[in-house]
Amino acid sequence: MTSPVLPLLSVRDLVVRYPARGHSGIPMTAVRGVSLEIAPAGIFGLVGESGSGKSSLAHAILHLSPPAGGEVLFRGQDLAAMKPSQLKAARRNIQLVFQDSLASLSPRRSVLQTLLEPLDHFRIGNPATRAEKAAMALETVGLDPALRHRYPQELSGGQKQRVALARALVAEPDLIIADEPLSSLDVSVQSRIIELILELREKLGVAFLFVSHDLSAVQRLADTVGVMYLGKMVESADTDTLFERPAHPYTRSLMAAVPVADPSHPRPAVLAGEPPSPLTPPSGCVFHMRCGDKIPICSTVVPNETFVCGETGMCEDSRRFKTISHRVRCHLWNVTKT
Ligand SMILES: Nc1ncnc2c1ncn2[C@@H]1O[C@H](COP(=O)(O)OP(=O)(O)OP(=O)(O)O)[C@@H](O)[C@H]1O
Ligand code: SF4
Ligand SMILES: [Mg+2]
């Protein structure tokens, strides 16, 4: 019997709250009890509309904005209980590529200075070997090491994105949190970054939390997908299951927005309007104001997380000979099962 693999990262019931601003006096809850797991060398794709809390979750995993509740376990160890030296080691092992690459690439630092910064900070190698490590990281992401003397403003969008990935890689992490690494790149560059991420997982065993609006990129890359709406994880499953049998009306609407080759194929309605403000979230199901499938209970009662595949949450997929876990927060699944 094989022993179950210990998750590399476990996030449990994470809550992120920002202090009240202006006259409202109300703190803003951006992430409302989100849980997820990432296996060693796994790729977890996180999707959801703008403002759903993806970046807030990514930052809270690293305790950049300390969570208001919940736990983050890295290799089974709670980040909140770590001594400063242990937290520093964990931060070396979990690297974040910021959504805005300018946030991680200072215009006043050359590419080489940018890459040396984490090597110096985490005391990796010695001053003589650091420049060599930096050049190797550039080669790993497919950039000519001669670019190391350039400044970010002298690089293309795709090159900047690769430098941001190289900066994460020099620390030799086990996990990279890549927050929208494809945004603002053209399709051919996006495709090359996707290939690169798959290669880094394959060759170096790096795991990824891949945050993206782009469902087709997530489908190509991820093993597991989580869908966020207004701070909640409303559905999660392995990638094939989620794309073949989406269970939550929100996930189906997101998929309906992706262009398909055969427009005559019946599809759910594309989402209209904007999500409500997280400052004043609706009662009941957070999605009820935009849901075409809602039933009376939806506007008053918060749906619990339900396993789509029976009491244990696991079901056999005979076509792929594997056991899958598929979770959803929607009353329709509770009603169906009772
Ligand atoms: N530092 C902050 N202070 C106060 N509110 C914040 C802060 N950062 C984010 N928010 C708010 O938290 C909510 C979630 O924002 P977040 O950036 O996590 O969403 P997102 O899913 O990453 O969006 P996008 O896809 O646009 O990047 C939004 O309503 C946002 O305005
Ligand atoms: S709980 Fe109700 S409103 Fe929410 S997604 Fe399900 S059917 Fe729609
Ligand atoms: Mg974001």
Side-chain angles (χ1 to χ4, degrees), residues 5-138:
V5 182
L6 179 72
L8 183 65
L9 183 84
S10 302
V11 174
R12 296 188 190 150
D13 295 321
L14 206 71
V15 177
V16 179
R17 203 165 280 136
Y18 295 112
R21 291 251 170 90
H23 300 297
S24 76
I26 313 170
M28 213 274 292
T29 308
V31 176
R32 301 161 182 273
V34 166
S35 301
L36 61 87
E37 280 188 355
I38 306 180
I43 301 183
F44 189 104
L46 188 63
V47 300
E49 280 168 291
S50 186
S52 56
K54 305 180 297 296
S55 297
S56 300
L57 174 65
H59 294 184
I61 287 175
L62 274 168
H63 284 220
L64 295 180
S65 43
E71 289 179 328
V72 179
L73 308 183
F74 185 68
R75 295 196 185 285
Q77 298 240 297
D78 184 355
L79 258 67
M82 286 181 181
K83 295 180 192 144
S85 62
Q86 292 172 310
L87 189 60
K88 187 172 176 181
R91 284 197 172 132
R92 172 186 167 173
N93 275 316
I94 312 173
Q95 288 289 311
L96 173 66
V97 177
F98 284 90
Q99 178 163 5
D100 174 7
S101 59
L102 288 180
S104 51
L105 303 183
S106 160
R108 288 185 296 278
R109 283 197 187 142
S110 68
V111 169
L112 179 61
Q113 288 168 325
T114 297
L115 298 181
L116 289 178
E117 195 265 334
L119 291 170
D120 292 338
H121 179 73
F122 294 114
R123 298 179 190 277
I124 301 168
N126 57 53
T129 59
R130 284 177 194 155
E132 201 180 314
K133 281 184 183 288
M136 274 167 58
L138 287 176

Side-chain angles (χ1 to χ4, degrees), residues 157-171:
Q159 286 171 330
K160 272 189 269 207
Q161 203 56 61
R162 280 168 191 255
V163 170
L165 266 176
R167 185 185 184 280
L169 274 177
V170 282

Side-chain angles (χ1 to χ4, degrees), residues 226-284:
V227 182
M228 282 187 74
Y229 185 81
L230 212 67
K232 293 220 179 214
M233 190 79 88
V234 294
E235 183 166 6
S236 62
D238 76 87
T239 306
D240 291 342
T241 303
L242 192 107
F243 281 88
E244 284 167 24
R245 299 192 291 282
H248 197 281
Y250 177 60
T251 312
R252 293 194 198 134
S253 304
L254 281 184
M255 286 180 186
V258 178
V260 286
D262 177 9
S264 64
H265 193 74
R267 319 183 78 205
V270 173
L271 275 176
E274 295 290 318
S277 163
L279 269 176
T280 49
S283 58

Side-chain angles (χ1 to χ4, degrees), residues 248-249 285 287-288 291 293-295 298 303 329-332:
H248 197 281
C285 168
F287 187 55
H288 84 258
C291 182
D293 297 316
K294 74 177 168 194
I295 51 178
C298 299
R329 280 182 195 276
C330 171
H331 286 304
L332 295 179

